[in-house]
Amino acid sequence: MAAKKTPASKKKTTASSRSSKAASAKRPVRREVGAFICFFLAVFSLLGFFDIKAIFIDVFSSAAKGLMGYGFYALPAVFAVMSVILFFHGGRPVKLRVWCCFLIAPLLGVMMHLFLNDTEYTGGWKILSELWNSGVSLGSGGVFGGLVAIGMKAVFSKVGSVMLLIGLGIFLGLVAFNISPIK
């Protein structure tokens, strides 16, 4: 006859055995690596403001300026804040905060394009090269910022677009800095 196992015969896990398992498991460092990458991108984008000739800085700055134009001015601060968020996460989820922080730079490019650029762009694919070239020279919102600004201006008007973008900017800032308006 087979002996039945009683609950008392089962192996008990104690707090010390659980803590030793937790200590042996490696803590992931992907957020800290992301923090260091964002820190170095902040430094490189800041160096992009000056006439420094280096392959990575030139390519990175040209790509960022071509895509977000005026938003490039906010990029060093945005990357620095993203680095702080990722480094001091304390185990909390920060993916939404990081994305909201990153989207502040293109949002600035869209808003500044609405305010500072009165160029009438022709339709077709030529608009992409015009926006890219003017974005690299920091004369527009770049390809992304310019297209969004042109589309919003056509749909909501300039005043309506600015009001929507200010509201979106406030929302992005609140989420990025983990501020809740309701206490």
Side-chain angles (χ1 to χ4, degrees):
M1 184 179 215
K4 282 186 169 180
K5 289 188 177 182
T6 62
S9 66
K10 290 184 181 178
K11 184 178 177 182
K12 294 182 182 179
T13 56
T14 61
S16 63
S17 66
R18 277 184 263 156
S19 64
S20 66
K21 288 179 185 177
S24 66
K26 290 187 177 180
R27 194 175 125 219
V29 294
R30 62 185 177 273
R31 290 182 184 171
E32 286 78 8
V33 170
F36 283 112
I37 290 171
C38 286
F39 174 75
F40 286 116
L41 289 177
V43 171
F44 293 143
S45 59
L46 185 64
L47 292 175
F49 287 122
F50 306 106
D51 192 24
I52 296 175
K53 297 297 178 199
I55 294 172
F56 180 77
I57 294 172
D58 289 342
V59 170
F60 176 70
S61 297
S62 295
K65 289 176 187 176
L67 288 174
M68 64 182 78
Y70 296 124
F72 182 74
Y73 290 122
L75 207 56
V78 164
F79 276 128
V81 171
M82 287 169 53
S83 176
V84 169
I85 290 171
L86 287 170
F87 194 72
F88 297 107
H89 59 82
R92 295 179 305 269
V94 293
K95 195 180 299 185
L96 179 64
R97 290 180 61 200
V98 169
W99 272 104
C100 287
C101 185
F102 178 73
L103 289 176
I104 290 172
L107 179 81
L108 179 70
V110 174
M111 287 183 66
M112 297 304 290
H113 185 92
L114 284 170
F115 283 123
L116 300 176
N117 195 319
D118 291 329
T119 306
E120 291 294 324
Y121 294 98
T122 59
W125 292 104
K126 188 178 178 185
I127 192 172
L128 295 177
S129 65
E130 292 174 0
L131 286 171
W132 180 271
N133 293 331
S134 62
V136 169
S137 65
L138 295 174
S140 74
V143 174
F144 176 77
L147 288 176
V148 171
I150 291 168
M152 287 187 75
K153 188 176 177 182
V155 174
F156 300 113
S157 80
K158 189 174 186 176
V159 175
S161 298
V162 169
M163 289 174 31
L164 283 171
L165 291 171
I166 288 173
L168 181 61
I170 291 170
F171 172 76
L172 291 176
L174 289 174
V175 172
F177 291 106
N178 203 18
I179 299 171
S180 176
I182 301 171
K183 295 287 178 176

